[in-house]
């Protein structure tokens, strides 16, 4: 059996009797969740009372440590000589961590307490961890946006923000701040007038030197829209999505408030990029080999089934389906870069990145797939903001099911 305790950035694990595969899987689950919340962690592993371990545990340990070799800073192991071979595996595989073996607990804890942790990153352009944001709540160079929203209950996000939010966070309305007026032909969340959006950013205290962070309670689906608008539409690199979002922040017991900040106005200057594909461009490339559309909607909606949001079911001919929620692990964090890359590569095929176009229902969750590909190192893809809700507004445009 095992015991696991969390002390900030330190995970303490004790093994008693036989170390079974079930024990190890419990260790994996808790460590992975802590890694996602905390960022890199220290590990104190006490093996003094371990009597044996199964071969399955040994192989699982090799797999787990290889996959997460870069996620640990320091590993202190308390053990005796009988586990030398296993510890040698551990030491060789944890390439980025400093591993030391001790014969008693006090020495291990003194070492962990004495060694300073790794310096924190100062710029975030895809994701920011819960731990990194928690350390920077008082940083005047960071502006946080609460992007919580419910497509079926448009005012739910504002109500949730008024009740409780991360200290210092401003509210970003998906319908009013991150989208423009509807015409009935331009989709459910058309992009706002860029000048008005830029002015709104300045009113919220965002300048060109500001680190912007967006979060929501939907796995990053709405915060990714803010991220894409700032980074790819307006050219602001210092913007990130809070990995794990509001739900993990609350579960971690981090501070919340109902106090609404009073931002000091700033000046924001856009550096627009070629990041958008229009409906006419998508239509002109139908059936041609130089564009691949990736649809982020649920499988049934992609197939034209159970459509409850838009008046027409189906998808753009030639599009492939990648449900945005498949970018997340069971805890609600983005999957590792290698796993995301392996999932998107078959959809991309031989296309260069600039030929990949992301689409969803209204240009919201498509940004989630674009973010996932960027995390995977697959940069340069584009967004069709109007997406299916714009496409299906004209009955002359073809529909596939």
């Amino acid at each position: 059996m095992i015991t696991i305790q969390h002390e900030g950035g330190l995970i303490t694990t004790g093994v008693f009797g036989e170390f079974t595969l079930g024990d190890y899987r419990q260790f994996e689950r808790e460590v992975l969740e802590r890694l996602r919340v905390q960022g890199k962690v220290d590990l104190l592993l006490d093996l003094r009372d371990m009597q044996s371990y199964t071969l399955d545990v040994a192989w699982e340990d090799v797999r787990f440590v290889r996959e997460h070799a870069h996620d640990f800073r320091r590993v202190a192991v308390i053990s005796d000589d009988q586990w030398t071979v296993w510890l040698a595996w551990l030491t060789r595989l944890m390439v980025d961590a400093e591993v030391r073996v001790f014969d008693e607990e006090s020495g291990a804890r003194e070492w962990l307490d004495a060694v300073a942790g790794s310096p924190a990153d100062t710029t975030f352009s895809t994701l920011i961890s819960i731990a990194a944001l928690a350390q920077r709540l008082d940083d005047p160079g960071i502006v946080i946006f609460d992007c919580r929203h419910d497509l079926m209950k448009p005012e739910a996000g504002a109500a949730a923000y008024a009740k409780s939010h991360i200290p210092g966070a401003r509210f970003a309305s998906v319908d009013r701040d991150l989208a423009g007026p509807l015409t009935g032909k331009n989709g459910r969340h058309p992009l706002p007038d860029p000048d008005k959006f830029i002015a709104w950013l300045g009113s919220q205290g965002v300048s060109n030197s500001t680190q912007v962070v967006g979060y929501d309670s939907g796995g990053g689906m709405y915060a990714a829209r803010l991220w894409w608008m700032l980074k790819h539409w307006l050219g602001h690199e210092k913007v990130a999505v809070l990995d794990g979002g509001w739900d993990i922040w609350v579960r971690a017991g981090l501070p919340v408030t109902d106090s609404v900040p009073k931002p000091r106005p700033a000046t924001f200057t856009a550096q627009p990029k070629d990041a958008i594909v229009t409906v006419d461009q998508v239509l002109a490339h139908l059936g041609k080999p130089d564009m691949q559309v990736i649809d982020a909607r649920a499988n049934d909606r992609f197939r034209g089934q159970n459509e409850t949001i838009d008046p027409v079911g189906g998808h753009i001919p030639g599009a492939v389906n990648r449900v945005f929620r498949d970018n997340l692990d069971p805890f609600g964090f983005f999957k590792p870069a290698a796993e995301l890359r392996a999932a998107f590569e078959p959809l991309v095929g031989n296309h260069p990145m600039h030929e990949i176009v992301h689409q969803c229902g209204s240009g919201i969750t498509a940004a989630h797939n674009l973010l996932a590909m960027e995390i995977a190192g697959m940069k340069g893809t584009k967004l069709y903001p109007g997406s299916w809700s714009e496409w299906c507004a004209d009955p002359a445009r073809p529909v596939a099911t």
Side-chain angles (χ1 to χ4, degrees), residues 138-319:
D138 296 327
D139 186 344
I142 289 184
V143 170
I144 306 168
F145 286 103
D146 185 318
C147 304
R148 283 179 286 175
H149 186 70
D150 186 330
L151 289 174
M152 308 310 292
K153 300 177 181 178
E155 299 305 319
Y161 173 82
K163 182 178 180 180
S164 183
H165 52 263
I166 294 176
R170 292 83 156 132
F171 181 66
S173 168
V174 171
D175 287 337
R176 292 184 294 274
D177 301 318
L178 306 186
L182 307 182
T183 66
K185 297 292 184 179
N186 60 351
R188 285 183 281 107
H189 291 100
L191 290 174
D193 178 88
D195 291 335
K196 290 183 179 179
F197 184 60
I198 289 168
W200 176 77
L201 289 170
S203 72
Q204 300 302 306
V206 176
S207 71
N208 290 80
S209 63
T210 301
Q211 172 69 64
V212 178
V213 175
Y215 73 88
D216 59 41
S217 58
M221 63 185 291
Y222 303 112
R225 166 76 169 209
L226 172 72
W227 170 85
W228 177 85
M229 290 174 69
L230 273 161
K231 185 171 185 180
H232 290 274
W233 192 38
L234 301 184
H236 186 68
E237 290 291 323
K238 297 178 67 174
V239 57
V241 171
L242 180 63
D243 198 17
W246 171 255
D247 295 334
I248 302 298
W249 182 275
V250 173
R251 191 186 311 169
L254 293 168
V256 298
T257 184
D258 61 0
S259 177
V260 177
K262 296 179 180 179
R264 177 178 297 178
T267 299
F268 180 83
T269 303
Q271 298 174 324
K273 293 184 177 182
D274 180 21
I276 293 174
V277 172
T278 67
V279 63
D280 291 335
Q281 288 174 309
V282 176
L283 189 61
H285 285 83
L286 286 184
K288 296 181 180 180
D290 58 350
M291 180 181 288
Q292 179 60 66
V293 177
I294 300 179
D295 190 326
R297 293 176 300 160
N299 301 132
D300 56 347
R301 293 184 64 204
F302 178 80
R303 296 191 301 267
Q305 303 167 353
N306 304 318
E307 180 59 70
T308 60
I309 302 177
D310 293 307
V312 179
H315 60 267
I316 297 172

Side-chain angles (χ1 to χ4, degrees), residues 219-221 224-225 227-228 232 293-298 320-328 334 340-341 343-344 347-348 356-360 363-379 381-383:
M221 63 185 291
R225 166 76 169 209
W227 170 85
W228 177 85
H232 290 274
V293 177
I294 300 179
D295 190 326
R297 293 176 300 160
V320 294
N321 193 204
R322 166 65 179 182
V323 182
F324 81 95
R325 290 198 180 277
D326 290 342
N327 300 325
L328 305 174
F334 276 83
L340 291 171
R341 173 176 280 274
F344 278 100
L347 305 179
V348 170
I356 302 302
V357 175
H358 296 279
Q359 166 253 315
C360 57
I364 301 293
T365 58
H368 200 279
N369 274 352
L370 198 150
L371 171 58
M373 286 190 68
E374 191 155 315
I375 292 167
M378 306 170 79
K379 301 180 180 181
T381 63
K382 297 184 178 182
L383 185 77

Side-chain angles (χ1 to χ4, degrees), residues 125-137:
S125 59
T126 52
L127 300 175
I128 184 171
S129 71
I130 297 285
L133 182 59
Q135 294 169 0
R136 291 165 172 79
L137 284 182

